[in-house]
């Protein structure tokens, strides 16, 4: 992103709305944002904010970086190698419990995307039908806990299913019959991927089967950066990008697919429109109760030993 040469009246309004002083050209700041994965529709508000110059308007030169290893961004941010990373609320609780100095300061996707997916015309019509069946997964730990809680809500347990590690080949594993269902499938991607392949899927949602609602994708930074004024500026631009997407879904899709030729395909197009309702319209806001409830869930599932004060790992910038 090139540096802006003049602040417009629109930038003054954005800065005023979040209580920021307007930076001069010399004060414009470069920040690195580590993505959770390669660029995809989940990152829509950032791409739109970049392409429409919203980051420049608040004096930021933002570099978006896709990680070589999706496990690295939180560690790199904690080590001061980047200012911001996109992470997952469930993982944040575990990472903080392990001692990483991280704090959530904003939300990108405000609803769970994770789901359990099976073939629509297959034998799994209800979670109870999973008894004695094979369930594929990609990453152990949280996905096991998620599946376990869902099964418990229907009177089953993990002992009633056979877990199969299918790595990241979720949709192919279901379509080929290697497994009867998969946990960890993102409802905005895998369902569309299966439909495009001619094998429609059916999803079972964790929040409808005993799992507390949580934020899927969040913005995290190092604890010692929690008072950095650039965080509020960054979220102001992201919020503006989000509202543009909601107000102009087709135009914003055209902007997104124009960002890179690799993004212009049927799967990304379907995922784009499926993801729009899930973006957080007020990314700086924090529901402390949601975080406290989910921490208790993770403790019950044995993924963390104790719950910490929410304020120690999640903040609403500008409202502390």
């Amino acid at each position: 992103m090139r540096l802006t040469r003049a602040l417009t009246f629109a930038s003054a309004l954005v800065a005023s709305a979040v209580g920021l002083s307007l930076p001069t050209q010399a004060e414009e700041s470069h920040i690195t944002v580590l993505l959770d994965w390669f660029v995809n529709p989940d990152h829509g508000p950032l791409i739109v904010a970049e392409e429409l110059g919203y980051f420049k308007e608040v004096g930021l030169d933002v570099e978006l970086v896709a990680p070589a290893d999706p496990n690295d961004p939180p560690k790199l941010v904690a080590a001061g190698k980047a200012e911001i990373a996109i992470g997952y609320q469930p993982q944040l609780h575990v990472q903080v419990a392990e001692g990483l100095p991280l704090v959530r300061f904003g939300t990108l996707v405000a609803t769970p995307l994770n789901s359990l997916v099976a073939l629509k015309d297959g034998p799994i019509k209800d979670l109870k039908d999973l008894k004695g069946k094979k369930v594929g997964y990609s990453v152990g730990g949280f996905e096991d806990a998620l599946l376990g809680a869902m099964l418990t809500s229907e009177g089953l347990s993990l002992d009633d299913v056979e877990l199969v590690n299918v790595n990241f080949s979720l949709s192919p594993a279901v379509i080929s019959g290697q497994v009867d269902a998969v946990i960890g499938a993102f409802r905005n991607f895998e369902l569309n991927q299966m439909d495009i392949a001619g094998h429609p899927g059916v999803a079972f949602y964790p929040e409808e089967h005993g799992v507390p609602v949580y934020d899927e994708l969040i913005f995290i930074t190092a604890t010692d950066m929690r008072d950095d004024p650039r965080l509020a500026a960054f979220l102001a631009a992201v919020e503006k990008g989000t509202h543009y997407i909601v107000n102009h879904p087709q135009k914003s899709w055209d902007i997104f697919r124009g960002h890179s030729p690799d993004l212009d395909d049927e799967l990304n197009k379907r995922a784009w429109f499926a993801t729009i309702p899930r973006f957080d319209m007020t990314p700086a806001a924090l529901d402390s109760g949601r975080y406290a409830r989910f921490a208790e869930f993770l403790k019950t599932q044995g993924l963390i030993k104790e719950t910490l004060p929410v304020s120690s790992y999640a903040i609403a910038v500008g409202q502390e």
Side-chain angles (χ1 to χ4, degrees), residues 33-37 42-43 46 64 70 73-74 77 84-88 108 216-220 234:
V33 179
L34 302 178
L35 306 179
D36 58 302
W37 198 244
D42 293 343
H43 308 130
L46 287 87
L64 305 177
V77 165
I84 297 170
I86 294 178
Y88 302 82
L108 178 57
E216 188 68 60
L217 292 176
I218 57 176
F219 297 111
I220 58 177
F234 174 80

Side-chain angles (χ1 to χ4, degrees), residues 256-276:
F256 178 79
R257 66 175 178 163
H259 180 75
S260 169
D262 295 337
L263 301 175
D264 190 9
D265 60 29
E266 181 64 19
L267 177 57
N268 276 312
K269 182 177 182 180
R270 293 194 188 195
W272 178 264
F273 291 98
T275 310
I276 289 176

Side-chain angles (χ1 to χ4, degrees), residues 136-139 143 164-171 173 178 182-184:
Y137 70 96
S138 295
V139 181
E143 289 182 2
V164 179
N165 189 336
V166 297
N167 295 313
F168 291 98
S169 186
L170 295 170
S171 295
Q178 179 185 355
V182 289
I183 187 68

Side-chain angles (χ1 to χ4, degrees), residues 191-247:
L191 285 177
N192 283 306
Q193 188 177 45
M194 293 172 69
D195 191 59
I196 291 171
H199 299 276
V202 59
F204 300 91
Y205 306 120
E207 66 272 24
E208 295 178 0
H209 296 279
V211 179
V213 173
Y214 59 90
D215 297 337
E216 188 68 60
L217 292 176
I218 57 176
F219 297 111
I220 58 177
T221 191
T223 303
D224 61 8
M225 274 195 63
R226 62 188 294 152
D227 296 320
D228 193 312
R230 292 177 297 176
L231 301 182
F234 174 80
L235 290 182
V238 170
E239 181 173 312
K240 191 171 181 181
T242 303
H243 282 255
Y244 185 90
I245 290 171
V246 171
N247 291 335

Side-chain angles (χ1 to χ4, degrees), residues 232-316:
F234 174 80
L235 290 182
V238 170
E239 181 173 312
K240 191 171 181 181
T242 303
H243 282 255
Y244 185 90
I245 290 171
V246 171
N247 291 335
H248 308 285
Q250 183 59 50
K251 287 183 179 179
S252 61
W253 160 244
D254 291 336
I255 292 170
F256 178 79
R257 66 175 178 163
H259 180 75
S260 169
D262 295 337
L263 301 175
D264 190 9
D265 60 29
E266 181 64 19
L267 177 57
N268 276 312
K269 182 177 182 180
R270 293 194 188 195
W272 178 264
F273 291 98
T275 310
I276 289 176
R278 302 185 180 278
F279 289 131
D280 197 325
M281 298 290 287
T282 54
L286 171 65
D287 185 341
S288 295
R290 170 180 287 197
Y291 278 70
R293 288 189 295 273
F294 202 76
E296 287 290 347
F297 168 76
L298 293 178
K299 181 180 178 182
T300 300
Q301 297 297 316
L303 293 182
I304 59 176
K305 293 182 178 180
E306 61 178 345
T307 59
L308 302 172
V310 173
S311 60
S312 68
Y313 60 87
I315 60 172

